[in-house]
Amino acid sequence: MSEPQSRDFIRQIIHEDLESGKHDSIVTRFPPEPNGFLHIGHVMSICLNFSVAAENNGRTYLRFDDTNPGKESEEYVAAIERDVHWLGFDWGDRLTHASDYFGQLYESAVQLVELGAAYVDSLSADEIREYRGTLTTPGKDSPHRNRSVAENLDLLARMRAGEFADGEMVLRAKIDMRSPNMNLRDPALYRIRHVTHQHTGDKWCIYPMYDFAHTLSDAFEGITHSLCTLEFEDHRPLYNWFLEQLKPPHQPRQIEFSRLNLAYAITSKRKLGALVEEGIVAGWDDPRMPTIAGMRRRGYPAAALRDFVTRAGVTKKDKLIEMGVLENCVRENLGEAAERRLAVLRPLKIVLTNYPEDKSEMMSAMNHPGRPELGNREIPFSRELWIEQDDFMEEAPRKFFRLQPGGEVRLRFGYIIRCDEVVKNDAGEVVELHCSYDPETRSGTGTSDRKVKGTIHWVSCAHAIDAKVRLYDRLFTEVNPNSAADFHTILNADSLQTVDAKLEPSLSSLAPGDAVQFERLGYFCIDSEEHSGDTLVFNRIVTLRDTWAKIEKQAIQQQH
Ligand code: ATP
Ligand code: MG
């Protein structure tokens, strides 16, 4: 996992900082707010933070940014820990919370007041907004901006003691109300909120604001490189202002990189949470969700996700990456690992009229074409078989090499068969095919070397096991749902389809989460959460080929 990767601009900076002796070792952190499950965008941040440290014998903290009591929960904390571990990273004993530092943060706030660099404002929230000005007009000073240090210290202590109601007072940095950078127009440092915090209980009724808490937590932990996404670029002057004022012994450096966006996927915890809350998906770990939990349940290997973000790369350019790139990483990973099995997703019965009714035999089936060491398994063959509806066409075009009336096809690991008769119901639908098999053509041991163009998969009716197989598609019909005004209008109504499939019997012993290839169909695994009585429930992880590539590439190009 800590294989050196080609040097992106962040790795280059780190390399130089080590070469020049600026740092002896690298310390990074991944700082999620526990207000939802992590998504594919976070995978990028996790891999980057943990990998750059590991590549340089450094350390990485997992720090929960829990400064927003009420929106955060222990359920999310647990989910985040599980997800980071599953991705393959270990924070050791470096699991922290912004709330661990509430005491030190308060001391730093007092220090800023003593330096004359912060003041308590008693304007209302509306007034503060009004005084702040706009991007084109300067702000103006609050009438309370020049309170004495003594008065500010007194008010801050009373804020902390709970003497004021929510919103009545706020502690602000004293920087510059005319700065072209809005973040420097006396940003709030502490606000009053009489809420119980999931970690500190009722100990505090004032809570630090993100920029303040984040900068100082980085400093307290000795973070050397504080890696964050580009939307924080305008916050960097404030980040540096805190460090200049307070002069902590460790001076972290903030470096921004671009967010990773995935085509057809939402990458915002808030919006993903809305999908869950509104019941549009079955939960945060619904296999259609671009959450780590959803992708794990879907059957994506952790290594495929790591490959994917490596391929996406660390840059400063906005990127919207095709789903096909992610799916290719999954395919490549599973192609090597997953054993092959036979399964029929949309069954059509065939009867081999010249095969004895009470007979069955075992066919030798290869487990993996590229890994002979995995050997063969035996699958039962008998007179009645399921084949895929798609593999039969009554009026087939010239290049259709599967089954058609009067035509021949090879059954994988079995015999060559011919379709003699099509049986239909009153509505004219095909219900069954009557075929005959050629006993000389048994796969491997047959005496005939006759060849036919098509090979199809099958499962013996008498031995098949039933399963529900869930076939997933994109949740959205638009390539960039993040920018949609209302994502409800672009939901893909066909993102989940469930079929009643027939599987070869060996699949009954598959463990949940273990991926297999259903030959000719794709990669599948048993769902880890859902059970349907005794019937197994499978997820389609990914199809064998990328049918979306072209459509998607065009859609993304049109966007740019
Ligand atoms: P969300 O909007 O989904 O809540 P966030 O950025 O608010 O995302 P945090 O929990 O604050 O979520 O994120 C933790 C870390 O993950 C941050 O350092 C953030 O920059 C990074 N991150 C979040 N989204 C992405 C993304 N799409 N690509 C890369 N990094 C991301
Ligand atoms: Mg956030």
Side-chain angles (χ1 to χ4, degrees):
M1 198 162 315
S2 57
E3 295 155 24
Q5 300 171 355
S6 67
R7 240 180 245 154
D8 51 65
F9 77 99
I10 290 180
R11 288 182 165 85
Q12 184 60 30
I13 292 172
I14 288 174
H15 175 74
E16 284 163 15
D17 287 350
L18 288 169
E19 291 271 288
S20 73
K22 180 177 176 192
H23 297 294
D24 299 331
S25 71
I26 297 304
V27 187
T28 58
R29 86 288 169 268
F30 172 64
E33 182 180 357
N35 62 345
F37 278 50
L38 300 177
H39 52 64
I40 186 76
H42 294 112
V43 174
M44 157 140 210
S45 182
I46 295 166
C47 290
L48 178 64
N49 277 295
F50 279 92
S51 305
V52 294
E55 288 159 18
N56 295 290
N57 292 319
R59 306 186 296 281
T60 303
Y61 285 82
L62 172 61
R63 184 203 310 145
F64 289 102
D65 164 29
D66 56 353
T67 51
N68 245 328
K71 289 197 182 153
E72 298 158 358
S73 83
E74 289 303 315
E75 179 207 347
Y76 297 141
V77 168
I80 290 170
E81 288 179 34
R82 186 168 63 233
D83 289 349
V84 175
H85 259 152
W86 176 78
L87 266 182
F89 299 104
D90 186 15
W91 51 84
D93 57 0
R94 289 172 294 281
L95 183 98
T96 57
H97 306 79
S99 60
D100 299 341
Y101 308 119
F102 279 175
Q104 279 166 277
L105 287 167
Y106 183 77
E107 281 166 31
S108 300
V110 169
Q111 209 183 326
L112 280 179
V113 171
E114 285 169 347
L115 289 167
Y119 62 99
V120 174
D121 201 349
S122 22
L123 290 182
S124 69
D126 284 342
E127 287 166 325
I128 288 181
R129 205 169 303 123
E130 197 186 309
Y131 275 65
R132 183 166 289 138
T134 66
L135 281 173
T136 49
T137 57
K140 56 182 184 183
D141 290 356
S142 162
H144 311 294
R145 197 172 196 263
N146 291 316
R147 277 178 169 147
S148 69
V149 169
E151 192 182 353
N152 281 321
L153 285 176
D154 174 59
L155 286 171
L156 178 58
R158 289 165 57 196
M159 276 172 68
R160 180 189 178 173
E163 283 187 32
F164 306 114
D166 288 9
E168 211 178 325
M169 300 278 168
V170 58
L171 181 72
R172 300 177 71 176
K174 193 170 177 177
I175 310 180
D176 179 4
M177 288 307 291
R178 277 153 216 85
S179 171
N181 184 340
M182 300 291 279
N183 294 305
L184 296 181
R185 292 188 188 173
D186 293 9
L189 304 180
Y190 262 97
R191 59 190 170 148
I192 302 172
R193 289 194 61 205
H194 292 270
V195 238
T196 304
H197 185 279
Q198 66 268 27
H199 243 203
T200 56
D202 292 320
K203 182 162 182 219
W204 296 89
C205 63
I206 58 173
Y207 291 99
M209 300 301 287
Y210 175 80
D211 287 304
F212 182 63
H214 186 244
T215 310
L216 291 182
S217 305
D218 282 351
F220 297 153
E221 288 173 355
I223 304 300
T224 53
H225 299 82
S226 177
L227 312 177
C228 63
T229 34
L230 273 177
E231 69 271 22
F232 291 103
E233 198 165 25
D234 289 345
H235 295 239
R236 186 173 3 113
L238 179 57
Y239 189 96
N240 290 338
W241 184 87
F242 290 129
L243 299 176
E244 279 156 28
Q245 297 295 317
L246 291 163
K247 301 189 171 49
H250 295 285
Q251 297 265 325
R253 170 174 174 190
Q254 174 177 312
I255 305 171
E256 310 86 15
F257 60 93
S258 59
R259 288 180 91 84
L260 181 147
N261 295 306
L262 181 63
Y264 296 97
I266 276 182
T267 38
S268 146
K269 281 191 239 114
R270 191 177 54 76
K271 289 183 188 167
L272 291 170
L275 291 173
V276 176
E277 229 154 75
E278 296 174 30
I280 294 168
V281 295
W284 284 98
D285 67 346
D286 185 301
R288 291 167 293 178
M289 291 280 268
T291 52
I292 298 178
M295 295 186 289
R296 173 175 59 233
R297 184 170 159 194
R298 171 89 167 251
Y300 287 12
L305 297 184
R306 295 194 302 264
D307 284 352
F308 171 66
V309 297
T310 304
R311 230 168 269 191
V314 182
T315 66
K316 282 214 173 243
K317 261 193 258 138
D318 251 354
K319 41 175 166 270
L320 178 61
I321 301 188
E322 292 153 59
M323 191 79 105
V325 176
L326 174 57
E327 291 186 340
N328 269 334
C329 291
V330 174
R331 267 184 209 110
E332 276 172 28
N333 220 279
L334 294 177
E336 276 183 34
E339 292 196 15
R340 276 48 170 169
R341 295 290 183 269
L342 298 190
V344 174
L345 294 187
R346 294 181 180 85
L348 169 64
K349 186 182 271 188
I350 65 171
V351 180
L352 304 179
T353 50
N354 61 340
Y355 194 92
E357 272 185 49
D358 50 1
K359 181 178 171 181
S360 73
E361 62 191 298
M362 297 306 273
M363 299 299 190
S364 179
M366 197 195 321
N367 284 327
H368 196 299
R371 299 174 61 190
E373 74 277 11
L374 292 177
N376 292 353
R377 67 191 183 285
E378 304 265 288
I379 49 177
F381 183 92
S382 64
R383 175 180 160 98
E384 297 192 352
L385 308 170
W386 298 113
I387 65 164
E388 210 70 61
Q389 287 168 20
D390 275 3
D391 282 333
F392 170 75
M393 262 182 118
E394 203 171 4
E395 279 159 50
R398 217 161 48 84
K399 295 225 160 166
F400 185 81
F401 298 125
R402 292 166 274 165
L403 203 54
Q404 52 187 301
E408 281 192 320
V409 77
R410 173 171 285 284
L411 296 175
R412 178 84 163 139
F413 308 124
Y415 296 94
I416 291 177
I417 60 165
R418 187 182 62 232
C419 174
D420 303 318
E421 190 190 345
V422 181
V423 183
K424 296 185 183 178
N425 62 14
D426 294 343
E429 295 155 349
V430 178
V431 289
E432 198 171 284
L433 304 176
H434 288 175
C435 304
S436 47
Y437 85 111
D438 177 352
E440 306 301 313
T441 58
R442 194 182 196 273
S443 185
T445 59
T447 51
S448 157
D449 56 0
R450 224 148 60 70
K451 289 208 165 44
V452 290
K453 282 220 162 125
T455 299
I456 64 173
H457 59 273
W458 53 274
V459 173
S460 161
C461 296
H463 307 88
I465 52 174
D466 291 316
K468 301 251 174 234
V469 177
R470 294 190 298 207
L471 310 174
Y472 300 107
D473 202 346
R474 279 72 173 144
L475 260 178
F476 297 98
T477 55
E478 291 280 320
V479 71
N480 191 358
N482 285 312
S483 62
D486 177 7
F487 66 68
H488 296 89
T489 60
I490 54 162
L491 283 167
N492 176 8
D494 299 319
S495 60
L496 169 62
Q497 207 189 339
T498 303
V499 294
D500 291 310
K502 303 288 184 183
L503 316 180
E504 70 165 76
S506 72
L507 284 162
S508 62
S509 59
L510 194 70
D514 286 350
V516 287
Q517 184 191 101
F518 290 174
E519 288 203 18
R520 301 177 67 226
L521 297 172
Y523 296 95
F524 296 78
C525 68
I526 294 184
D527 190 79
S528 50
E529 301 300 321
E530 189 120 341
H531 310 278
S532 173
D534 287 340
T535 310
L536 292 170
V537 177
F538 275 79
N539 296 322
R540 181 172 69 197
I541 305 169
V542 68
T543 54
L544 288 182
R545 244 169 269 109
D546 185 1
T547 46
W548 267 73
K550 262 199 205 130
I551 309 170
E552 202 168 22
K553 208 165 251 152
Q554 278 166 5
I556 289 177
Q557 275 161 5
Q558 276 159 15
Q559 276 237 324
H560 288 288

